[in-house]
Every structure is written in structure tokens, then in C-alpha cells.
Amino acid sequence: MTANAYIERVISTLEEKHPDQKEYLQAVHEVYEAITPVLEAHPEYEKQAILERIATPERVISFRVTWQDDEGQVHVNNGYRVQHSSVNGPYKGGIRFDPTVTLSVMKFLAFEQTFKNSLTGLPMGGGKGGADFNPRGRSDAEIMRFCQAYMTELSKYISQDQDVPAGDIGVGHREIGYMYGQYKRLQGVQLGVLTGKPVSVGGSLARTEATGFGIVYFANQILKHNGTDISGKRVIISGTGNVGSFAADKATELGAKVIGISNITGSVIDEDGINMNTIRDIAANHAEDLSKYPETHPNATFAEGSIWAREVQYDVALPCATQNEISGEQAQQIVDNGVEFVIEGANMPSTAEAVQVFRDNDMIFGPAKAANAGGVGVSGLEMSQNSLRLRWTFEEVDERLHGIMEGIFQNIVDTLEEYDLGKDYATAANIYAFKNIAELVRIQGVI
Ligand code: 2IT
């Protein structure tokens, strides 16, 4: 079979097997449509079923999470851990607590994570976990009971050498702290079994900032590769969580003007530059209600709905909220707004339609699996520090984060040249990561 016929056969088999797993199919499709030249150079990959083996998770764990709320009501949620690939080391990837969690979302994230982790150059396989639990409005005691119930089941499948979860949407220091405590109660002390830990219990300095900082380091590298840099640029960011808020801080520090930010309540445009202290205060004390922002910043405007639907002129878009947050129509609005650079902060924030619009309009596009790899990169550094039984300074970790993002960018640039890809950073990232993983699969035999 030709390379393309092999790819089409694998994709259509996956579609037949998993017709409801939209996000998973989307993620696999996006990678596999980029790798034709690699398969052409390796016709033996078909007989070895390399595409099937890379797309199919090694193990999917699905379990019930039962917990009691403060009124005594018992609830049941669906918990997951997808152990996607161990070819590059222990399964590694975050845990997400969000009502949108499904098996398809877990499988797409675990697949993406495998590629992302390989891009960091650190020895980490790929995994992802989570539950369809909505932490919004829950008391601290309820969060603790949920985390303990989730970890009671998960603890049977993870260890610091086999599978190392971290945080993601809905899971921060507090949740990792509770899950770490519960793991320890059940299995004994294993400092490296989770990353993103509170610094006082073995977490790494700069882990909280790492994803957002890394996105801006990567964005700046792309801008420089295109003859400019982020200083003086008008930037819009979706998401006020760790990713979006620290991306905003770093962009501002490097001289950009963040003129807009959004969360689930809506978006704010502030031509004076978004004040992140106000945003953090709203997140912590006002149920994230961004409509409060103009009360203290009268030049700003608030609107409900997606920030990507807003008509405003800017240069750089950093989608840092969640998967498929940019529709095709919104991508066209981004193009019409004169945006030149879209750098993905969230995992797969652009729908397939949006990616097509960006391609058709020659948008300079930084793919998530490269741009947001700084988070898991510093998780890798947290594992190193835990094994070494020491702690690096914030500056030292930040310096290494810089090095990781530069290394990723350099490998992408080398791949652009090798495959004559122009400025198609997404295809280059997919090719580079796929080549690495495919070789690791081959080397380790038929298992
Ligand atoms: O999407 C991601 O890369 C993460 N949620 C971080 C994973 C990790 O293990 O730090």
C-alpha cells in the first residue's frame, strides 16, 4: 500500500471502532495527515503496524468514583486514567476534573501528551487522567473527599517509576496535595509519584508558571524566526487559569500589551492593557465574573461569549482555555482582525475547521504540543529533583525551561528545512515527534 492508503486505512478503522470518540479521532487525524513523508521513507512501518500501535493506548483504566457531599448526598462520577504510551518512559500527564471529561477527551489528551512529552527531549511516556466531576462551587471538604476517592482507585495503577500524573484543568496545588496525601496513606511515601505538588511537599519552583511562561518563550521564538518579536505586540489570551494568567504575565514582562482576556463568564478588552491583579482578584473573590472588571477599569469593555468572536485589531492570539474553543467562523474573525500569529496554549484549542482557515490564510501557527510543552517539561524537572533529593532555585528551573523550549523550537526548524515545509511549524512538530516515537516502538520489539 502507498503511505497515504495506509494512513487512510488506519483512520477509517479507528472511525469504525470508535464512532463516538470525536476528539480522539480529531487528534489522531491531525498527526497522521502530517506524516506521509516519514511513512514513504519507512514502508516497513505498515507491516509492523506502527500507526495502529501508536494510536492505540497501551491501557485504559476506567473506574467509579463515589463520594459524599457536605449534606450527606452520595454522588457517582466516572474516573479515568489512559496509559497511552510507555515507549519513552513512565506514563506522564495531567489529571483533569471537569464536567466535559469523557473517554474520548481522555484518549485525545493522552495521545497528544505522548507526542508533546517526546518533544521535550526528556524520558517521559504519555498518559492522561481525570473525572467528569465539576469542582465549581464545591467546598474544600468536598474537594478533599473527591480527591481521596479518586486516588483510592488510581493508586492501584501508578508509581513514581510507572505512571506519574500531575494537574490539569480543575486540578491545582490543593487537589494534588490531597491526592498525594491519599496515595501516601495507601502506598507509602513516593515523592515522585505526582508532579505539580505544592513546593512545600516536594514540588518544583516555577512549575505553576511553566506552561504559561513556556508558551510565551515559544511564541517569541516563532516571532523572531519571522523577523520580529513579542515586544510591542498586541496580544489576546483566552483562559484565566494557570496557563493563561502566567502567559499574560510573561508577555507583559517581555514588552507586549495584553489587551484582552476571557474565561467562562465572558471576555474583557482593555486598551490600557489588562490588569492581571484585577483578574486574579476576580478569579479568587468574585466567582470569576469578568463583568466586574470595568467597574475598576472604566475604559474596558466586557462581553459575554467567546473572546474569539470579538472584532478588535491585534497581532498575537494565545488560546489558553480548552479543546476546540475556536470554531471555523471564529478563526475567520481572528484572520479578519489582522492577527498574524496564533500560538496554542491549551491542548487542541483549534477545531479542524479553524486549522483549515488558518492554513488557507497563511497564519503563522504554533501547535499546542510544542508551545505548551513547558508545563510537562518542568514536571520532568520536578521528577529529577525528587530523585536527586534536592531543589533547584526558581531561576535555575526557569533557565532549564528556556533550554527545553529552545530545543523544541530548534528541532522544529531543522525539520522544516529537512522536509522543505516552509513555515508549517505544526507539520514539522508532528513529523519530528512521530519519527522519535515510531523508532522507539520499533526498537522495543513486538509488545
Ligand atoms: O497538558 C499538559 O501537558 C499537562 N496537563 C501537564 C502534564 C504534566 O505531567 O505536567
Side-chain angles (χ1 to χ4, degrees):
M1 259 190 199
T2 65
N4 282 333
Y6 174 36
I7 294 170
E8 275 164 33
R9 176 171 64 77
V10 171
I11 300 260
S12 62
T13 306
L14 285 177
E15 282 169 353
E16 277 162 33
K17 278 193 191 179
H18 310 289
D20 304 331
Q21 297 182 0
K22 243 177 19 119
E23 295 85 359
Y24 169 61
L25 295 170
Q26 182 187 341
V28 174
H29 198 273
E30 193 227 285
V31 172
Y32 283 6
E33 73 180 1
I35 55 156
T36 306
V38 185
L39 291 181
E40 279 168 351
H42 290 279
E44 75 279 10
Y45 280 180
E46 183 175 4
K47 191 160 188 187
Q48 295 166 352
I50 296 288
L51 292 186
E52 294 89 326
R53 289 158 75 190
I54 292 179
T56 309
E58 289 176 18
R59 189 173 298 105
V60 175
I61 302 152
S62 166
F63 49 91
R64 194 184 72 195
V65 185
T66 313
W67 59 284
Q68 214 168 7
D69 71 20
D70 290 342
E71 274 71 55
Q73 176 66 50
V74 176
H75 298 262
V76 171
N77 286 98
N78 299 316
Y80 304 95
R81 183 73 181 165
V82 176
Q83 297 182 329
H84 187 87
S85 172
S86 61
V87 291
N88 196 32
Y91 308 108
K92 181 84 197 84
I95 291 173
R96 175 177 294 190
F97 291 161
D98 192 79
T100 62
V101 163
T102 60
L103 180 57
S104 171
V105 168
M106 294 283 99
K107 282 176 68 180
F108 118 66
L109 288 165
F111 175 83
E112 283 288 295
Q113 195 80 47
T114 300
F115 285 79
K116 183 196 312 195
N117 293 2
S118 125
L119 287 174
T120 66
L122 299 174
M124 299 183 287
K128 202 83 188 191
D132 60 354
F133 166 70
N134 189 355
R136 281 173 206 283
R138 288 293 171 196
S139 71
D140 190 56
E142 289 172 325
I143 296 286
M144 184 177 77
R145 286 196 294 277
F146 184 82
C147 289
Q148 291 178 340
Y150 177 83
M151 182 51 84
T152 300
E153 197 57 32
L154 185 68
S155 65
K156 300 168 188 168
Y157 308 101
I158 65 172
S159 75
Q160 60 191 1
D161 296 319
Q162 290 303 322
D163 184 355
V164 181
D168 194 84
I169 294 170
V171 178
H173 274 164
R174 176 179 60 164
E175 291 74 17
I176 293 287
Y178 291 148
M179 286 195 272
Y180 179 70
Q182 182 71 352
Y183 184 87
K184 193 177 61 174
R185 173 153 82 171
L186 296 165
Q187 305 280 353
V189 174
Q190 271 192 37
L191 207 50
V193 72
L194 292 167
T195 63
K197 296 182 291 294
V199 173
S200 54
V201 291
S204 176
L205 290 162
R207 173 63 189 88
T208 310
E209 294 82 356
T211 315
F213 282 15
I215 288 159
V216 175
Y217 297 153
F218 189 82
N220 212 11
Q221 277 156 340
I222 289 204
L223 267 69
K224 286 182 179 162
H225 195 235
N226 287 275
T228 181
D229 67 47
I230 199 151
S231 147
K233 292 288 183 292
R234 289 160 64 84
V235 177
I236 280 189
I237 297 174
S238 61
T240 54
N242 273 347
V243 182
S245 64
F246 289 109
D249 289 348
K250 184 53 78 174
T252 306
E253 187 191 319
L254 296 182
K257 192 173 190 186
V258 178
I259 58 149
I261 200 159
S262 65
N263 66 16
I264 52 156
T265 70
S267 68
V268 175
I269 303 289
D270 184 352
E271 286 291 339
D272 298 334
I274 295 286
N275 183 318
M276 287 307 295
N277 290 334
T278 308
I279 297 291
R280 288 188 162 98
D281 176 59
I282 288 172
N285 303 315
H286 301 282
E288 301 188 53
D289 181 3
L290 285 184
S291 72
K292 296 225 167 308
Y293 186 93
E295 289 175 11
T296 45
H297 304 274
N299 290 336
T301 59
F302 169 82
E304 284 178 1
S306 170
I307 198 163
W308 307 122
R310 292 189 75 163
E311 206 182 314
V312 51
Q313 185 276 321
Y314 59 105
D315 308 299
V316 181
L318 302 179
C320 296
T322 194
Q323 69 268 4
N324 289 332
E325 60 173 288
I326 307 179
S327 68
E329 204 179 317
Q330 290 165 352
Q332 189 57 53
Q333 183 65 56
I334 292 172
V335 170
D336 294 345
N337 286 338
V339 172
E340 283 180 85
F341 301 92
V342 175
I343 314 294
E344 295 185 320
N347 293 311
M348 203 168 75
S350 312
T351 56
E353 296 75 32
V355 171
Q356 195 54 49
V357 171
F358 294 146
R359 277 188 192 283
D360 292 347
N361 290 277
D362 293 324
M363 179 71 76
I364 304 288
F365 180 78
K369 59 173 74 68
N372 78 17
V376 74
V378 172
S379 274
L381 301 181
E382 181 170 331
M383 292 165 75
S384 305
Q385 293 168 80
N386 291 161
S387 297
L388 292 166
R389 302 277 185 262
L390 51 76
R391 170 150 35 236
W392 297 328
T393 63
F394 189 100
E395 289 69 30
E396 196 167 351
V397 176
D398 192 31
E399 183 71 35
R400 286 176 194 263
L401 168 63
H402 246 292
I404 290 170
M405 301 314 292
E406 268 166 24
I408 294 173
F409 190 71
Q410 193 52 53
N411 289 330
I412 289 177
V413 168
D414 293 346
T415 309
L416 287 177
E417 283 163 17
E418 187 182 341
Y419 290 86
D420 201 14
L421 294 170
K423 293 283 173 61
D424 189 347
Y425 302 98
T427 297
N430 284 328
I431 287 184
Y432 183 80
F434 178 80
K435 277 170 71 173
N436 280 341
I437 295 163
E439 268 312 280
L440 287 167
V441 171
R442 191 191 60 76
I443 287 165
Q444 292 172 48
V446 178
I447 53 168

